[in-house]
Amino acid sequence: MAGALLGVHAGDALGATVEFSPWSAIRASYPDGPREIVGGGAFGWPPGHATDDTDLTRAVLLAYLESGDEDVVRSSARHMLDWLEGRWPGRAQGSNPRDVGRATLTGLRRFAASGDPYTSGCGQGQAGNGSLMRCIPTALAVPDRERRISESMQISGITHSDTRCTVACAAYNEMAAALLEGQPPAEAVAIGQTTAQELGSKPVADAIGYGSQLKPAMLVLTGQTFLEDDAAGYVLDSLSLAVAAVLDERPFPDVVVDIVRLGNDADTNGAIAGGLLGARDGAAAIPPRWVSLLQFEEEFHAAATVLAVRRSAA
């Protein structure tokens, strides 16, 4: 379980350096891809510091760690709002996040006004990857498939209620859960695609199918992915790249580096792919020199232990 959380964190931190950069610029600066966590980037991140991807993953994780709170959706929304309003580690009290996506900002402002996380989402037409990047704690915390799918979709819907987003989160978490249970990657991907089909989303099922045909090591040769939004923030592009990553048999760092070096929304694509790769390979597969820099490394290890104990007792 720690591998999944740290995989998100590591992919995020690695990609933060080149976020918004095109493939060509990354290739010029990093001929072999960015292979170290050095921070910087558009927002001047300290090395290993969480961006919104990891921070909001932590918000959902905190909701699952709390005991006695039966409404994990509402709890997730409250923690996300804490992040937005500056009640968060590593930031001055009341300070704004360095980066926040448009749909995330809109959804959290609506939640702050209404107190209802079930109606705060932006609705159809806003299909960014801002809920997919934070969804993996549900796969770790919930052993029951029906509940896992429901909560994946509801937590997405706090900000991203377009069905492409909600179903993408459900399918992704079914893949992650299958990997955690020891299923091989191809079987996990098939489970994710079946989930999308069961939920009636052909676009999500097709995105998983397309990702199954992509080879990250080939994509980085030209930078041409033929993805709809060129991996610049569209939820189905990020989902396709994550599928391609988890089916790639190479070690964790080689695959994550290739996902990141494609550019554009590099940190989020790295985080989403890193979560599945971490679920596949475990925490030991992530380079220790990367892990040692991660802002929430100790907290995520401790959280994974708690969730694993709970799961074994369920």
Side-chain angles (χ1 to χ4, degrees):
M1 289 192 181
L5 295 171
L6 295 172
V8 170
H9 204 341
D12 176 28
L14 189 73
T17 305
V18 293
E19 183 183 13
F20 306 133
S21 299
W23 166 84
S24 57
I26 296 171
R27 184 174 185 179
S29 299
Y30 303 94
D32 297 321
R35 306 195 72 88
E36 302 297 334
I37 292 175
V38 297
F43 297 98
W45 300 107
H49 201 283
T51 80
D52 57 328
D53 305 72
T54 300
D55 276 339
L56 291 174
T57 298
R58 178 177 180 266
V60 178
L61 178 64
L62 289 173
Y64 279 107
L65 291 172
E66 290 173 349
S67 59
D69 191 336
E70 296 182 358
D71 190 344
V72 73
V73 180
R74 189 174 303 278
S75 181
S76 295
R78 287 200 304 265
H79 285 297
M80 291 181 205
L81 192 60
D82 285 343
W83 166 79
L84 182 67
E85 295 181 343
R87 298 178 292 274
W88 205 253
R91 281 167 49 200
Q93 183 76 11
S95 63
N96 295 324
R98 297 191 191 192
D99 184 26
V100 55
R102 184 173 62 246
T104 297
L105 180 61
T106 299
L108 293 180
R109 283 178 171 171
R110 288 179 177 174
F111 169 68
S114 70
D116 185 358
Y118 297 95
T119 61
S120 56
C122 294
Q124 293 299 116
Q126 295 285 332
N129 55 16
S131 62
L132 187 61
M133 70 189 190
R134 68 176 191 240
C135 72
I136 205 164
T138 304
L140 310 184
V142 183
D144 178 74
R145 181 176 187 266
E146 183 176 348
R147 179 188 160 199
R148 190 168 57 233
I149 289 173
S150 175
E151 290 180 1
S152 296
M153 298 177 73
Q154 289 172 333
I155 293 172
S156 172
I158 296 166
T159 55
H160 294 68
S161 51
D162 186 295
T163 54
R164 289 167 291 182
C165 300
T166 60
V167 176
C169 288
Y172 177 95
N173 276 339
E174 289 311 292
M175 288 187 274
L179 292 165
L180 291 168
E181 291 166 2
Q183 296 284 355
E187 180 60 26
V189 168
I191 288 169
Q193 190 167 38
T194 297
T195 299
Q197 292 165 344
E198 290 174 355
L199 294 172
S201 179
K202 186 176 186 298
V204 174
D206 288 348
I208 294 171
Y210 183 59
S212 300
Q213 306 305 313
L214 298 177
K215 305 293 182 186
M218 299 299 295
L219 297 179
V220 298
L221 296 178
T222 64
Q224 294 181 323
T225 63
F226 301 102
L227 294 164
E228 186 170 337
D229 190 42
D230 200 23
Y234 180 40
V235 64
L236 298 187
D237 286 3
S238 295
L239 181 62
S240 292
L241 289 178
V243 169
V246 80
L247 292 174
D248 191 319
E249 296 180 354
R250 293 178 297 158
F252 179 105
D254 294 333
V255 183
V256 170
V257 166
D258 279 354
I259 296 298
V260 163
R261 70 198 289 203
L262 289 170
N264 292 329
D265 199 6
D267 60 330
T268 305
N269 293 328
I272 294 167
L276 288 188
L277 287 166
R280 183 192 76 178
D281 296 344
I286 307 172
R289 69 183 188 279
W290 290 5
V291 174
S292 67
L293 293 170
L294 299 180
Q295 181 183 3
F296 295 119
E297 180 261 332
E298 292 185 4
E299 182 177 333
F300 281 7
H301 266 296
T305 299
V306 171
L307 294 178
V309 169
R310 288 183 186 175
R311 198 177 184 108
S312 64

